[in-house]
Amino acid sequence: MRMLANFKLIALSVTIGLGLVAQSTSAKAAGTETLLVAGGCFWCVESDFESVKGVQDVVSGFAGGSVKNPTYKQVVAGGTGHYETAQIQYDPAVVSADQLLAMFFRSVDPTDAGGQFCDRGDSYRTAIFADGPVEKAAAQKAKADAQAALGKTVVTPILGKAAFYPADDYHQNYYKSSERLAFSSVGLGVKKSEAYKRYRTRCGRDQRVKQLWGDAAPFTH
């Protein structure tokens, strides 16, 4: 009887152990991962990638510079070294880093070293901030694939891990905000969401991306 009881205890322990391993694996698979990319105007990158299934959130901010907690005015004025950057938070069980990187290259003009579309200057350049060797290898492969697809030199650098500083609340979810602007370059008293649409059209983002990538462009309207 004692041997039977011991056997049952061992079997129960093994079952519990396997259950904990399964729970741990499930929790890891269900965890959120992040990807830092610079694609010109961060409002646009946020708008594009929040439409992707498996992306849980996109935060607009800055990375790659030498100043801690920079303001928007500091960055766009130049001299801090920061890029307008989007932190993409995603579920790797639904969408992979490889897929996101491929979409990223096809949502920008990676042949432009001076900015993106109508936005010129260092803060609007494209870049990928790779967190570790695995992500770096994936980014390099995505870049090589993009270059082969375009038949043109892709200048988007693959940079190392960088501190990310979220922009102030004014810039978060700009593309879908119903807040009205007292003044903007695209009109008076318009909602942020409408101002964003007008800006994106006037800046020529979708037109240029469509010209470069054709049907492979994932976000053009």
Side-chain angles (χ1 to χ4, degrees):
M1 291 293 291
R2 180 175 295 178
M3 290 181 61
L4 179 60
N6 288 339
F7 177 79
K8 289 181 177 178
L9 181 60
I10 292 171
L12 179 60
S13 298
V14 170
T15 300
I16 292 173
L18 290 174
L20 290 174
V21 170
Q23 286 179 349
S24 175
T25 302
S26 176
K28 184 176 180 181
T32 298
E33 295 186 7
T34 61
L35 183 66
L36 283 183
V37 296
C41 170
F42 49 30
W43 300 339
C44 297
V45 182
E46 185 178 352
S47 170
D48 287 345
F49 281 89
E50 284 196 343
S51 70
V52 176
K53 184 177 181 181
V55 171
Q56 299 169 335
D57 191 25
V58 181
V59 181
S60 291
F62 313 103
S66 58
V67 178
K68 291 184 178 180
N69 297 308
T71 65
Y72 179 79
K73 288 183 178 180
Q74 284 177 307
V75 173
V76 297
T80 70
H82 289 90
Y83 296 71
E84 283 202 12
T85 304
Q87 182 189 67
I88 302 171
Q89 301 170 5
Y90 66 98
D91 181 351
V94 180
V95 62
S96 69
D98 290 340
Q99 290 172 310
L100 293 172
L101 287 165
M103 285 187 277
F104 167 70
F105 275 109
R106 288 155 182 78
S107 67
V108 296
D109 179 355
T111 69
D112 187 350
Q116 284 292 284
F117 318 108
C118 69
D119 293 317
R120 315 312 301 165
D122 289 351
S123 64
Y124 294 108
R125 293 171 297 166
T126 61
I128 296 171
F129 298 92
D131 185 1
V134 174
E135 196 168 277
K136 181 178 180 180
Q140 289 174 331
K141 182 181 183 302
K143 178 177 178 176
D145 290 345
Q147 185 160 288
L150 283 179
K152 299 179 180 180
T153 300
V154 168
V155 298
T156 302
I158 310 301
L159 304 175
K161 183 178 180 180
F164 175 75
Y165 302 100
D168 57 87
D169 289 344
Y170 175 86
H171 293 285
Q172 306 300 336
N173 298 309
Y174 195 99
Y175 76 97
K176 59 184 178 182
S177 174
S178 60
E179 179 185 348
R180 291 191 178 275
L181 300 169
F183 171 80
S184 76
S185 61
V186 293
L188 302 177
V190 299
K191 293 181 180 180
K192 282 184 176 179
S193 57
E194 179 59 29
Y196 164 76
K197 290 177 183 177
R198 296 181 190 180
Y199 152 76
R200 182 161 180 152
T201 298
R202 293 182 183 181
C203 200
R205 188 181 187 100
D206 293 326
Q207 298 92 315
R208 176 57 178 160
V209 169
K210 189 70 173 178
Q211 181 186 38
L212 274 175
W213 294 104
D215 293 337
F219 305 118
T220 54
H221 308 295

